[in-house]
Amino acid sequence: MGDSDSWAAAPATAERARSVLAVSWSCTVTADGGREEFVGAHTVDEDGRVLLRVPEDSALLTAAICAPRGEPSAVLEFADVAPVPVRSRIRARLWLAGWFAPEGDQLAFHATRVVLKQPSGAVVVDLDEFAAAAPDPLATAEAHLLTHLADAHPDAVERLTRLVRSESLHGVVRVQPLAVDRHGLTLRIERTGAHGDVRLPFHAPADDVGRLTERMHALLGQAAAAACPRALQRQRTAGDG
């Protein structure tokens, strides 16, 4: 069961969906009773339209050419995988239902339904909002930022737990950075038999990496002024023994 800390200042659903689409390297396509996975084969237009390059002998290409134009006939699935190793590593899944049409040497996908599934549940995304939204400005840099934080600054991650309610840290065995966007940082709190996520909102949006550095320093400053959680004190003492 997840923790109940507030997810204040979080990305809008359409923006979150566009962020998943922007960073996904592969997609799974279900069409005409078949299922194929394509790696590094798609691009995304500014309005969120997916363009897919498929082999000439792909059954999907044949199905797209023969399918009635405008009739929903395919589902695209994208997975958002946490860049830092954690339990339950898939943070979200994005499904686009619609139809393909040949466009040059690619297949253009026309979505008629967009669904984003996160731990909090599945939400249907308004098509106009999806087309108008932009990915989070940190989306493409997130993997590097989080792995660097986890690998090079584990002391900073531990310090940030001072901003987490003590009851959320009861029985903690590991804390890892799970996600970051312009609105805040999310920590994955792992216990012996369960895990939960805690959101640490920034005091103002971080629209680029430079601003993110300042926001992180502000969070660390708040953490430095807070008391060390007793749960981590006990864990540290046991480890030193």
Side-chain angles (χ1 to χ4, degrees):
M1 180 179 296
D3 295 317
S4 58
D5 293 68
S6 173
W7 278 71
T13 302
E15 180 182 317
R16 182 75 182 92
R18 289 294 301 272
S19 295
V20 172
L21 190 59
V23 301
S24 295
W25 180 242
S26 65
C27 71
T28 301
V29 180
T30 302
D32 196 29
R35 185 177 174 88
E36 293 185 68
E37 183 172 1
F38 297 90
V39 179
H42 73 276
T43 56
V44 183
D45 280 353
E46 289 186 0
D47 61 357
R49 189 179 62 144
V50 176
L51 299 173
L52 185 66
R53 299 182 303 277
V54 299
E56 292 183 359
D57 59 352
S58 171
L60 178 60
L61 181 60
T62 302
I65 294 175
C66 298
R69 181 173 294 272
E71 180 179 317
S73 57
V75 175
L76 276 60
E77 179 181 345
F78 302 85
D80 176 32
V81 183
V84 175
V86 292
R87 297 175 189 166
S88 300
R89 200 165 178 177
I90 296 180
R91 303 180 298 187
R93 291 187 186 276
L94 178 67
W95 288 281
L96 307 180
W99 52 280
F100 280 108
E103 187 171 297
D105 59 351
Q106 302 179 97
L107 292 178
F109 189 74
H110 300 265
T112 56
R113 186 177 176 87
V114 178
V115 177
L116 177 68
K117 183 180 179 181
Q118 301 183 96
S120 56
V123 178
V124 176
V125 184
D126 181 85
L127 292 176
D128 291 336
E129 292 179 2
F130 180 77
D136 184 88
L138 301 178
T140 56
E142 184 193 28
H144 171 74
L145 293 168
L146 291 181
T147 53
H148 178 75
L149 178 60
D151 295 341
H153 303 286
D155 56 327
V157 176
E158 179 178 337
R159 199 180 319 152
L160 288 170
T161 60
R162 298 181 182 185
L163 301 177
V164 179
R165 296 199 310 259
S166 58
E167 56 266 32
S168 295
L169 296 172
H170 180 69
V172 64
V173 295
R174 186 172 70 160
V175 180
Q176 291 277 51
L178 176 71
V180 69
D181 55 64
R182 75 173 187 270
H183 298 293
L185 173 73
T186 302
L187 300 178
R188 168 62 54 84
I189 310 295
E190 296 184 350
R191 309 178 187 84
T192 301
H195 63 266
D197 301 335
V198 175
R199 178 86 167 173
L200 302 179
F202 299 142
H203 69 273
D207 293 327
D208 54 45
V209 175
R211 289 185 177 88
L212 174 64
T213 299
E214 189 278 329
R215 305 299 185 260
M216 288 297 298
H217 285 163
L219 281 181
L220 289 168
Q222 296 173 32
C228 181
R230 292 180 180 178
L232 289 188
Q233 285 180 335
R234 289 195 297 270
Q235 183 186 50
R236 187 184 303 150
T237 300
D240 291 344

